[in-house]
Amino acid sequence: MKIKRYGIMGGTFDPIHFGHLVAAEEARAVLGLEYVFFVPSGRPPHKKERPITKAEHRYLMTVLATATNPSFKVSRVDITRPGYSYTVDTISAFREMLGPDCELYFITGADAILQILSWKDVDRLFASCYLIAATRPGYDLSQLRASFGASWQRYSDKIKTLEVPALAISSSEIRRRVAAGEPIRYLLPESVVQYIYKHGLYGAHRQVKGCI
Ligand code: ATP
Ligand code: MG
């Protein structure tokens, strides 16, 4: 029997954008994933320096963005678990839910993976899932290897890289554009654009330059 594979895409999703969606879809197609679960984080441990938009808004934007893809699901596990959101705890929750007989693939940007050695319980994390590092086409893999140093041998079997084309988009750039009254259309799904303006997120009270 073929072992089922599931993708898990964790993130702040403040807001979700086409970079996230393209990476998830590419991972689904290349790895033959049954589903990709998008998991908006509750309190991200690495983003303490700026206020994060309410979890309910981030969750709803993620639902809107993924609604048309039958292979995408959104999970509330990190939002409902108290305390900081650590990847190792997210993976344990999915392992419990999906059982021992499947493979889990945690999808993340190569930039985030560079700091992985500082994540909580790295050994336990690598024991329970694979890591998919989304990279820009032409990305220099030696950077990834160098960041692991001597630990590369230990973990390299569990790390796969995946080239995705939409990597220049980031949530921080979208927030900056909204606050500056610059357009954000075509960087993220239209439903999410409308949600941002409807709820006045990221200082979206000003009129977008060039729009009627
Ligand atoms: P911010 O700019 O606030 O850091 P972000 O765009 O990086 O936001 P996150 O919610 O922090 O979005 O990212 C969730 C996951 O998606 C992370 O693993 C991140 O590396 C990855 N990611 C972010 N942007 C892209 C992109 N354009 N293509 C592929 N993966 C991405
Ligand atoms: Mg980021």
Side-chain angles (χ1 to χ4, degrees):
M1 202 184 68
K2 205 167 148 256
I3 294 178
K4 290 207 165 135
R5 297 173 159 189
Y6 297 96
I8 297 163
M9 175 114 201
T12 321
F13 303 131
D14 194 11
I16 188 165
H17 53 67
F18 282 134
H20 301 130
L21 293 161
V22 170
E25 178 65 1
E26 192 65 9
R28 185 201 62 72
V30 171
L31 296 159
L33 306 175
E34 297 285 316
Y35 292 109
V36 176
F37 295 91
F38 286 74
V39 190
S41 56
R43 291 168 68 199
H46 59 289
K47 290 193 176 171
K48 294 172 189 158
E49 71 283 358
R50 75 166 182 91
I52 306 290
T53 306
K54 270 195 240 148
E56 212 52 36
H57 281 314
R58 293 185 290 107
Y59 171 79
L60 286 175
M61 289 191 281
T62 308
V63 169
L64 284 173
T66 54
T68 55
N69 190 326
S71 302
F72 287 177
K73 290 177 184 283
V74 187
S75 164
R76 299 182 72 98
V77 287
D78 275 10
I79 295 176
T80 46
R81 193 178 52 240
Y84 287 120
S85 298
Y86 292 105
T87 303
V88 70
D89 301 330
T90 310
I91 297 293
S92 310
F94 275 93
R95 188 48 87 190
E96 209 161 287
M97 191 172 82
L98 299 167
D101 304 323
C102 62
E103 290 176 350
L104 302 181
Y105 291 83
F106 187 77
I107 306 159
T108 176
D111 57 333
I113 233 177
L114 291 180
Q115 291 116 42
I116 203 165
L117 293 175
S118 66
W119 289 7
K120 190 184 156 198
D121 290 345
V122 186
D123 280 322
R124 192 150 66 88
L125 179 67
F126 275 107
S128 49
C129 71
Y130 292 90
L131 274 131
I132 306 301
T135 67
R136 221 178 260 116
Y139 175 83
D140 180 11
L141 270 182
S142 60
Q143 254 178 286
L144 193 62
R145 248 178 249 136
S147 71
F148 276 82
S151 315
W152 178 251
Q153 293 292 343
R154 187 141 127 232
Y155 301 127
S156 60
D157 286 353
K158 289 296 195 83
I159 301 171
K160 296 176 193 298
T161 54
L162 182 77
E163 287 192 352
V164 292
L167 245 130
I169 306 173
S170 72
S171 304
S172 27
E173 172 63 9
I174 292 170
R175 293 192 302 271
R176 189 203 63 73
R177 284 174 158 269
V178 172
E182 294 171 19
I184 55 167
R185 257 198 180 145
Y186 313 123
L187 296 173
L188 64 173
E190 183 63 23
S191 52
V192 181
V193 174
Q194 296 302 332
Y195 187 97
I196 290 170
Y197 287 106
K198 174 172 171 180
H199 294 278
L201 303 185
Y202 317 123
H205 48 278
R206 277 180 254 169
Q207 208 183 347
V208 179
K209 284 174 201 156
C211 279
I212 305 162

